[in-house]
Amino acid sequence: MYHLLRQLLFTLPPELAHDAGLSAIKTGQTLGLTRFFMPQVPDYPVQLMGLTFPNPVGLAAGMDKNADCLDGLGNLGFGFIEVGTVTPKPQPGNERPRLFRIPEKQAIINRMGFNNKGVDHLVEQVARRKYSGIVGVNIGKNLTTAVEQANEDYLTCLRKVYLAADYIAVNISSPNTPGLRSLQFGDSLKQLLSCLKSEQQTLAKRYDCYRPLALKIAPDLTDEEIKLVADAVRDQGFDGIIATNTTIDKHLVSDSKHGQEAGGLSGAPLKEESNKVISALRAELGIDFPIIGVGGIMSAEDAVQKIKSGANVVQIYSGFIYQGPALIRDCVLAIKESLAERK
């Protein structure tokens, strides 16, 4: 059935299709129709970052930037949903068009630019959710905030989302906000992680509850840069790492229409690079450090490969666009079977 729906949605401009798809999911949830059309996703709990994930397959940030469709997406069977990226103040994002499909490569390029309704709106939406799975909130900085003052934007978001979120993801790896990726390196990274960790500890004492912090990184890092990021995350006491965001390397789609559009590339071409980063992180961080794997999961086998590369749980985004909700169940079942074979 999703194949027919996708054909219809793909006749629309990508961003309009995105909005229409979310509206359909939300309407289906409101009318109670989702359970009649969606495959049942089995429970397969995973303990990670002190949290119990109902199953190891989540939705990556970017699909539901404002948490407006949280319950509808939750009804599809995701074990966890990451909403955002959210910024302190609302912002429109980059000029349209800013989202491009590359169907023959099962890929997407976006340069959305953190378009969102602001952190206060998102917190209201998350606070009223009925979805019982894990909710992560992905935080970023406003475009108009200088990189030198970025820490204050991240601190503002952290304080506001702290009680609403189950975990907080710190996004310093989007290629669509000028200067943002510079925060992944050197003293800028250490200072950002240090101030966020200090504030997390303050908030944990104030509210008597602990919300894990995870850092989301880019795939476009050298081996040395991966080591430095891993050292910083571990040294500053972060609770997890999310690998990876979209890539700026478009050589695998350079022969396609839209293949040279500015922005971040996601989907099948990202898979191998993401897996390499995850493997490198696992080697640096040891067997116990939580890693959320994302990037290029288009099939159940891709999800298994993420786990074998070193991820504890996985997130999908472009695969969900191209394959539909059945991918959630297929990935959960494949991961469950693969882990059972390894025991």
Side-chain angles (χ1 to χ4, degrees):
M1 182 171 180
Y2 180 75
H3 177 70
L4 298 175
L5 178 60
R6 190 186 75 176
Q7 284 185 320
L8 176 62
L9 289 173
F10 275 29
T11 65
L12 302 174
E15 192 163 351
L16 180 58
H18 176 97
D19 295 340
L22 284 182
S23 295
I25 290 170
K26 188 172 183 178
T27 299
Q29 181 265 329
T30 301
L31 298 177
L33 300 176
T34 308
R35 65 181 182 275
F36 296 113
F37 297 100
M38 295 299 108
Q40 188 67 33
V41 178
D43 290 333
Y44 187 52
V46 176
Q47 302 292 323
L48 195 70
M49 300 190 298
L51 303 170
T52 301
F53 292 68
N55 70 60
V57 179
L59 179 65
M63 177 69 68
D64 191 6
K65 292 177 179 291
N66 301 298
D68 288 335
C69 196
L70 189 47
D71 289 337
L73 289 164
N75 277 350
L76 302 181
F78 287 108
F80 62 111
I81 295 174
E82 196 170 302
V83 294
T85 298
V86 69
T87 55
K89 296 180 290 187
Q91 62 181 28
N94 294 322
E95 292 185 6
R96 304 188 189 199
R98 53 193 182 183
L99 186 63
F100 307 90
R101 303 185 201 100
I102 309 177
E104 70 276 16
K105 305 287 189 179
Q106 294 192 89
I108 295 171
I109 291 176
N110 92 84
R111 52 172 180 264
M112 303 301 287
F114 289 172
N115 56 305
N116 73 102
K117 298 175 183 178
V119 69
D120 292 330
H121 173 86
L122 180 139
V123 168
E124 290 176 2
Q125 295 298 99
V126 175
R128 65 164 68 106
R129 73 186 185 270
K130 296 179 181 177
Y131 170 63
S132 59
I134 297 296
V135 176
V137 177
N138 187 297
I139 61 175
K141 82 168 191 71
N142 280 113
L143 175 64
T144 54
T145 301
V147 173
E148 293 77 14
Q149 280 78 53
N151 291 9
E152 288 305 315
D153 274 16
Y154 285 99
L155 286 169
T156 296
C157 285
L158 175 60
R159 292 168 186 141
K160 291 197 171 188
V161 308
Y162 190 81
L163 288 179
D166 292 311
Y167 72 87
I168 297 99
V170 180
N171 187 354
I172 57 172
S173 51
S174 170
N176 301 318
T177 297
L180 188 73
R181 285 191 169 193
S182 66
L183 296 174
Q184 295 180 112
F185 309 111
D187 290 339
S188 295
L189 177 62
K190 293 176 182 177
Q191 290 169 10
L192 175 62
L193 300 191
S194 177
C195 74
L196 288 173
K197 186 64 185 182
S198 177
E199 187 63 20
Q200 176 203 38
Q201 293 172 332
T202 298
L203 294 169
K205 291 178 181 177
R206 179 183 302 166
Y207 298 121
D208 194 28
C209 64
Y210 186 84
R211 298 291 190 261
L213 283 172
L215 181 70
K216 186 166 186 176
I217 67 168
D220 311 297
L221 300 175
T222 65
D223 291 343
E224 180 61 23
E225 288 167 346
I226 291 171
K227 183 181 187 306
L228 292 173
V229 168
D231 289 343
V233 167
R234 180 175 49 220
D235 293 347
Q236 296 299 330
F238 259 53
D239 303 283
I241 196 162
I242 303 172
T244 61
N245 211 319
T246 58
T247 180
I248 57 174
D249 181 358
K250 303 185 180 72
H251 78 276
L252 292 177
V253 298
S254 60
D255 59 341
S256 299
K257 182 181 179 182
H258 303 307
Q260 291 300 318
E261 290 286 349
L265 173 67
S266 62
L270 180 57
K271 178 178 65 176
E272 295 303 326
E273 198 60 40
S274 171
N275 289 350
K276 289 178 183 177
V277 173
I278 292 168
S279 295
L281 286 170
R282 180 56 70 205
E284 293 292 339
L285 293 168
I287 62 173
D288 295 325
F289 195 89
I291 298 175
I292 298 174
V294 54
I297 297 176
M298 315 303 289
S299 68
E301 179 56 32
D302 292 339
V304 171
Q305 286 301 317
K306 277 279 184 293
I307 300 296
K308 289 181 177 179
S309 295
N312 300 96
V313 297
V314 301
Q315 292 175 325
I316 60 175
Y317 185 108
S318 298
F320 179 67
I321 300 298
Y322 280 102
Q323 308 300 332
L327 181 62
I328 307 166
R329 178 203 57 192
D330 294 347
C331 289
V332 172
L333 290 173
I335 291 171
K336 183 178 182 179
E337 180 179 349
S338 175
L339 292 178
E341 291 175 354
R342 290 160 61 179
K343 290 182 179 179

